[in-house]
């Protein structure tokens, strides 16, 4: 007789639970890469603290019955929820095939997936997995030829939205990675081997899949260039010349929608709008760059006040629940991106995880809307 469907149905409760499970399921160096931040991790803590100290405004006796409408428009498109997956470099370290799982989950859910330059699968393959929902995140590296080639490839693959990440003029100083001696390609010290032996599911999946690599950048690698630290790889590919002139060149070059990611200052926000950005993403890179960076949620109102009326603003950093998403929107965000929780989800549950996280966050957001007396996300 046919066996019943043996696919495990997973029912994670929250992004925090996913983080806990991720922590025990993947090697320490991989978890630290995902979970860590720059310096003393103050900026990362601050991003979270801004959410925990912010309250929503409860309203009663409104809309208790019908399900709130989570759909919204952003960058000229309709989305089923007002949040998506932030660009996450080297996600294959959280779980093999993570990028593809993200792209597929976003496409199925009707939410954006941002394919990062340092993806562990090619932008062409990821675009194909999320043909209606994907955007491309560009790092401007040391070589203008590589930057141009990446833009041309993104265009040819059919991406219509480009996010230029501007907060990496230097690689972030991530103490956990430095202490773990974490670099690319992965080196296997005695400590790493022990770490792998303690996390056999990850180790076996990774063996089967092959060690994660920066698939988009592989064509430009010099053969036999040898091992370099992650900091060196990142520096070459993400910390090239990027100023308002270069941003202007990219604006003229890119026909689609252009988003400047990594804005934390009201003056920069106004400059971005004047330079022809179609939107900005208020972000401190999850606290992984400048440890003294303010919380995105805290600076959002001043940034909102500094840009033209109706100028689209996305926010990321520290969003861990549906209530957080609503708080960000109340503070002036049109759209929200979620970073680490998607990595926790895939580390905790494999390819099924991202889809489950979309469900968790959407259900939390819907409940929060009901408890704040909202039927939909329209303002006013
Ligand atoms: C990132 N982030 C990021 N941003 C970007 O523009 N390009 C990238 O390649 C990466 N890579 C990356 C890797 C990892 C492991 C993390 C955690 C983050 C930053 C990301 O897009 C986003 O700004 C933050 O993750 C948002 O903060 P939370 O949601 O992680 O708190």
């Amino acid at each position: 007789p046919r066996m019943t469907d043996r696919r495990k149905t997973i029912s994670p409760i929250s992004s925090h639970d996913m983080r806990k499970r991720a922590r025990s399921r993947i090697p320490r160096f991989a978890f630290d890469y995902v979970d860590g931040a720059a310096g003393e991790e103050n900026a990362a803590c601050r991003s979270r603290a801004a959410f925990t100290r912010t309250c929503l405004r409860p309203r009663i006796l409104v809309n208790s019955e019908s399900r709130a409408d989570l759909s919204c428009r952003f960058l000229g498109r309709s989305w089923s929820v007002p949040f998506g997956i932030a660009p996450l470099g080297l996600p294959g370290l959280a779980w093999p095939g993570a990028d593809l799982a993200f792209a597929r989950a976003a496409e199925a859910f009707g939410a954006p997936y941002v394919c990062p330059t340092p993806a562990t699968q090619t932008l062409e393959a990821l675009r194909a997995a999320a043909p209606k929902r994907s955007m491309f995140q560009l790092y401007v590296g040391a070589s203008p030829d590589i930057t141009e080639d990446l833009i041309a490839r993104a265009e040819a693959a059919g991406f219509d939205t480009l996010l230029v990440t501007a907060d990496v003029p230097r690689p972030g100083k991530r103490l956990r990675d430095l202490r773990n001696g974490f670099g690319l390609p992965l080196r296997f010290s005695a400590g790493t081997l022990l770490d792998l032996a303690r996390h056999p599911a990850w180790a076996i999946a990774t063996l089967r899949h092959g060690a994660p690599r920066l698939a988009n950048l592989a064509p430009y690698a010099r053969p036999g260039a040898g091992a370099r630290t992650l900091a060196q790889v990142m520096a070459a590919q993400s910390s090239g010349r990027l100023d308002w002139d270069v941003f202007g060149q990219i604006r003229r070059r890119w026909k689609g929608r252009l988003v400047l990611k990594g804005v934390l200052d009201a003056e920069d926000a106004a400059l971005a709008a004047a330079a022809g950005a179609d939107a900005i993403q208020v972000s401190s890179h999850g606290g992984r760059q400048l440890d003294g960076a303010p919380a995105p949620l805290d600076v959002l109102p001043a940034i909102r006040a500094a840009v033209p009326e109706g100028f689209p603003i996305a926010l990321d950093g520290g969003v861990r629940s549906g209530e957080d998403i609503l708080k960000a929107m109340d503070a002036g965000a049109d759209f929200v991106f979620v970073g680490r929780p998607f990595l926790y989800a895939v580390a905790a549950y494999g390819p099924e995880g991202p889809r489950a996280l979309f469900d968790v966050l959407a259900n939390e957001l819907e409940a929060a809307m009901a408890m704040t007396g909202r039927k939909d996300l329209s303002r006013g």
Side-chain angles (χ1 to χ4, degrees):
R2 242 181 91 86
M3 301 283 289
T4 49
D5 187 355
R6 293 206 308 147
R7 239 178 356 150
K8 268 180 265 158
T9 46
I10 56 170
S11 48
I13 297 169
S14 72
S15 77
H16 300 288
D17 287 43
M18 290 177 160
R19 177 177 179 275
K20 239 186 244 166
R21 191 177 153 99
R23 181 178 217 155
S24 66
R25 202 157 171 254
I26 69 174
R28 172 73 184 269
F29 69 87
F31 182 78
D32 278 347
Y33 165 70
V34 167
D35 196 61
E40 294 172 45
E41 309 194 348
N42 289 319
C45 291
R46 221 174 272 130
S47 302
R48 276 302 303 142
F51 279 106
T52 53
R53 100 172 91 75
T54 297
C55 298
L56 290 162
R57 182 183 174 201
R59 298 300 306 276
I60 54 172
L61 306 188
V62 200
N63 185 34
S64 70
E65 221 172 58
S66 65
R67 205 179 149 79
D69 178 5
L70 308 190
S71 69
C72 74
R73 287 190 67 79
F74 180 63
L75 290 175
R77 291 211 230 161
S78 299
W79 308 96
S80 64
V81 286
F83 61 92
I85 306 178
L88 298 163
L90 214 58
L93 208 59
W95 201 260
D99 331 52
L100 214 50
F102 292 162
R104 286 178 181 150
E107 184 78 9
F109 211 79
Y113 159 70
V114 187
C115 172
T117 291
T120 27
Q121 273 147 329
T122 64
L123 63 94
E124 289 83 3
L126 293 165
R127 173 73 194 167
K132 292 205 290 288
R133 301 298 177 182
S134 48
M135 307 177 176
F136 184 68
Q137 176 266 325
L138 178 73
Y139 273 139
V140 175
S143 156
D145 292 346
I146 294 176
T147 302
E148 165 51 32
D149 198 56
L150 283 167
I151 294 175
R153 283 171 61 191
E155 193 173 44
F159 286 98
D160 62 3
T161 302
L162 187 70
L163 281 81
V164 174
T165 299
D167 53 14
V168 190
R170 301 288 181 280
K173 185 173 178 182
R174 313 208 180 119
L175 303 191
R176 296 198 218 180
D177 292 347
L178 293 170
R179 289 186 187 121
N180 292 336
F182 171 56
L184 280 183
L186 299 178
R187 277 163 301 144
F188 295 102
S189 66
T192 318
L193 287 175
L194 197 64
D195 202 354
L196 290 174
R198 287 203 185 109
H199 302 95
W202 186 96
I204 290 166
T206 298
L207 265 180
R208 222 182 262 148
H209 204 270
R213 53 181 212 123
L214 302 175
N216 285 326
L217 300 164
Y220 318 119
R222 284 174 295 130
R228 294 190 294 167
T229 65
L230 183 67
Q232 285 168 323
V233 175
M234 287 307 216
Q237 63 138 43
S238 61
S239 305
R241 181 185 156 207
L242 178 57
D243 52 27
W244 291 110
D245 281 345
V246 173
F247 186 71
Q249 287 163 23
I250 295 172
R251 173 66 287 184
R252 288 189 290 281
R253 166 73 180 82
W254 181 259
K255 304 285 177 287
R257 291 177 201 269
L258 184 64
V259 182
L260 188 60
K261 176 173 183 278
V263 177
L264 283 171
D265 186 274
E267 273 181 48
D268 286 343
L271 288 171
D278 294 303
I280 54 172
Q281 188 152 328
V282 176
S283 168
S284 62
H285 211 112
R288 294 162 73 83
Q289 288 300 119
L290 181 68
D291 197 23
L297 186 68
D298 285 338
V299 294
L300 182 57
I303 286 176
R304 173 50 78 201
V307 296
E309 169 126 31
F311 186 77
I313 301 179
L315 174 138
D316 74 39
V319 175
R320 298 292 177 268
S321 69
E323 290 202 9
D324 291 346
I325 292 165
L326 201 56
K327 288 174 186 177
M329 298 186 85
D330 284 352
D334 299 296
F335 209 87
V336 174
F337 283 92
V338 178
R340 289 183 189 82
F342 278 99
L343 293 165
Y344 302 145
V346 79
Y349 294 104
E352 298 290 307
R355 176 69 208 224
L357 181 59
F358 269 119
D359 282 332
V360 165
L361 295 176
N363 287 331
E364 289 171 349
L365 173 60
E366 199 280 332
M369 287 170 67
M371 287 185 265
T372 54
R374 285 178 258 206
K375 292 179 167 43
D376 58 46
L377 292 167
S378 58
R379 296 196 185 281

